[in-house]
Amino acid sequence: MTASWIASAQDSPYGLHNLPYGVFTAPDQPGRRRIGIAVGDFVLDAGAAARAIDEPSELLEADTLNPFLAAGRRTWEITRAAVTTWLSDESYREAMSPCLVPRAEVELHLPFEVADYVDFYASEHHASNLGRIFRPGTDPLTPNWKHLPIGYHGRAGTVVVSGTPVVRPHGQRKAPTDAVPSFGPTRRLDIEAEVGFVVGAGTELGTSVPLESFREHVFGVLLLNDWSARDIQAWEYVPLGPFLGKSFATSVSPWVVPLEALESARVTPPTRDVEPLPYLDDREGEPWGLDIALEVSLNGHVISRPPFAGMYWTAAQQLAHMTVNGASLRPGDLFASGTISGEAVDTRGALIELTWNGENPVKLPDGTTRTFLENGDEITITATAPGPNGTVIGFGEVTGRIVP
């Protein structure tokens, strides 16, 4: 594996095997957003690096990743190879060193302008748990669940970067014992630990993306928390699905890990026990399960470790289904996996599952308990994946604190 001349990049989750992209500001130019690439304890100012070797790039000089995303896979590969050379070849040290900013000094921003946002429902354990909670005594999965990746369209304008406070939403709530609904702040504020996929190259309206073209359109992966107001959601979702209970905030991590960095993390998805229709049949193609290990913390205390490798539907299948009707893609489209939950209690990715709809509160080290989130609570989701030759890929974190 190629080694970097940056000492802190050795054995780092942000080594040359990763090189995630983000957008930052720094003290030297606090009003200017720049594209950065995390490496070791630093952020490489990508535009300045290209200028330093007299190869200026309009794509890398932008204040958002969208133009770079739109350029497509060949440009992503060429740029990744070039950056790897700049940070590994000793002859570039003098030119590149001034372009490195300590990561501790930068402020990170939403890395791309979100074009559209779609959230899926791809964990069989999560879907089954919710089915058992809300439909006891019946089949926990709906009849369509193993035939297609269920999803809904979310709100692109309320996707926010990690660290943005989450304001407790208001809406209508109606408990089963209430005669009429009431209005007020949600009493059942929840999380959904997810992985998000960032679309680069777009498509024309009326065309679809087959499974084998997944890597031509998806640039990279980030962490995502799709905050959920369960009481608002329960009252509003019949018959059209999630609306105000979901649209108030979706938090994402600031670093986008390139799909190319995750080759060593690819795994075969779980065996499907229902024959998929041809456009979703990935058994003879490339497997796009990903071995990503998440960790969810509430006020600094780990409450769950969801495993992404067990997701029933892959991102490639989700993209194929999302476009099979001819819906077009745009650079900056974001689609998310849905809540990631494993079989064990401590691998469930939402409080509604962890507490079994409030019956079994989560106990915290300070002696308090939680069924759902209280004002002042802070949720942090982190994740890692295996890289080449025993290295580790870091995804950073997505954090949000609840405010009244």
Side-chain angles (χ1 to χ4, degrees):
M1 186 181 67
T2 304
S4 175
W5 44 262
I6 301 172
S8 64
Q10 311 306 324
D11 301 320
S12 168
Y14 299 108
L16 297 187
H17 55 287
N18 189 351
L19 299 178
Y21 285 73
V23 169
F24 74 99
T25 50
D28 62 328
Q29 298 182 65
R32 180 172 171 244
R33 295 193 179 192
R34 294 175 269 178
I35 291 175
I37 299 171
V39 55
D41 294 335
F42 297 92
V43 174
L44 178 72
D45 182 336
R51 277 183 273 114
I53 59 167
D54 296 323
E55 294 181 9
S57 166
E58 290 186 9
L59 299 179
L60 298 181
E61 292 284 0
D63 59 2
T64 178
L65 284 174
N66 291 66
F68 182 68
L69 297 176
R73 180 182 173 190
R74 182 61 180 152
T75 296
W76 309 336
E77 291 176 338
I78 291 172
T79 304
R80 180 176 175 82
V83 171
T84 300
T85 299
W86 299 344
L87 298 175
S88 60
D89 188 331
E90 186 68 33
S91 66
Y92 286 95
R93 181 196 286 259
E94 184 176 356
M96 292 297 123
S97 291
C99 307
L100 293 170
V101 183
R103 193 149 42 87
E105 297 180 6
V106 307
E107 180 181 356
L108 297 171
H109 304 277
L110 192 66
F112 58 97
E113 183 178 347
V114 181
D116 282 307
Y117 169 53
V118 173
D119 191 32
F120 283 96
Y121 190 49
S123 165
E124 182 174 0
H125 295 296
H126 174 67
S128 296
N129 284 336
L130 292 193
R132 293 185 183 101
I133 289 171
F134 294 119
R135 299 184 301 276
T138 66
D139 189 334
L141 296 178
T142 53
N144 60 348
W145 200 90
K146 288 194 174 181
H147 292 275
L148 56 86
I150 295 174
Y152 77 93
H153 283 274
R155 187 105 182 224
T158 53
V159 176
V160 296
V161 73
S162 174
T164 304
V166 177
V167 179
R168 182 177 294 273
H170 286 63
Q172 290 192 27
R173 313 153 306 191
K174 181 183 177 301
T177 55
D178 293 342
V180 294
S182 62
F183 177 83
T186 177
R187 300 177 180 128
R188 296 164 67 85
L189 185 55
D190 201 356
I191 64 166
E192 290 189 342
E194 307 189 25
V195 167
F197 296 84
V198 181
V199 172
T203 59
E204 293 184 4
L205 188 66
T207 63
S208 58
V209 178
L211 291 171
E212 59 269 21
S213 297
F214 172 70
R215 64 165 71 239
E216 300 299 324
H217 294 277
V218 171
F219 169 71
V221 180
L222 45 64
L223 302 180
L224 184 146
N225 186 350
D226 197 38
W227 306 91
S228 300
R230 300 297 185 188
D231 45 1
I232 296 172
Q233 180 184 359
W235 173 234
E236 73 178 0
Y237 86 102
V238 179
L240 290 183
F243 189 40
L244 300 184
K246 295 278 195 176
S247 63
F248 58 96
T250 300
S251 298
V252 297
S253 55
W255 295 113
V256 183
V257 174
L259 201 63
E260 194 174 350
L262 295 173
E263 284 297 312
S264 297
R266 288 175 58 182
V267 293
T268 302
T271 301
R272 285 67 172 259
D273 51 10
V274 172
E275 184 82 8
L277 289 171
Y279 78 98
L280 294 172
D281 191 350
D282 61 354
R283 290 171 295 182
E284 300 300 323
E286 292 186 286
W288 276 109
L290 291 170
D291 182 15
I292 301 174
L294 286 80
E295 191 170 87
V296 181
S297 296
L298 170 56
N299 298 338
H301 173 64
V302 176
I303 59 173
S304 180
R305 292 183 170 89
F308 189 73
M311 299 295 272
Y312 189 92
W313 296 106
T314 70
Q317 290 172 312
Q318 290 168 342
L319 186 66
H321 184 67
M322 192 167 77
T323 60
V324 74
N325 67 343
S328 56
L329 296 175
R330 293 186 291 172
D333 278 355
L334 173 66
F335 66 99
S337 62
T339 304
I340 304 161
S341 292
E343 188 172 3
V345 173
D346 61 358
T347 63
R348 296 170 181 171
L351 286 169
I352 194 169
E353 294 175 83
L354 282 165
T355 69
W356 208 251
N357 204 25
E359 292 181 13
N360 306 308
V362 171
K363 297 179 181 179
L364 299 178
D366 63 2
T368 62
T369 62
R370 294 292 187 278
T371 52
F372 293 94
L373 296 174
E374 298 181 2
N375 292 341
D377 283 347
E378 184 175 77
I379 289 287
T380 298
I381 303 171
T382 59
T384 58
N389 303 313
T391 57
V392 174
I393 299 285
F395 290 79
E397 67 177 40
V398 54
T399 294
R401 183 182 295 276
I402 308 305
V403 299

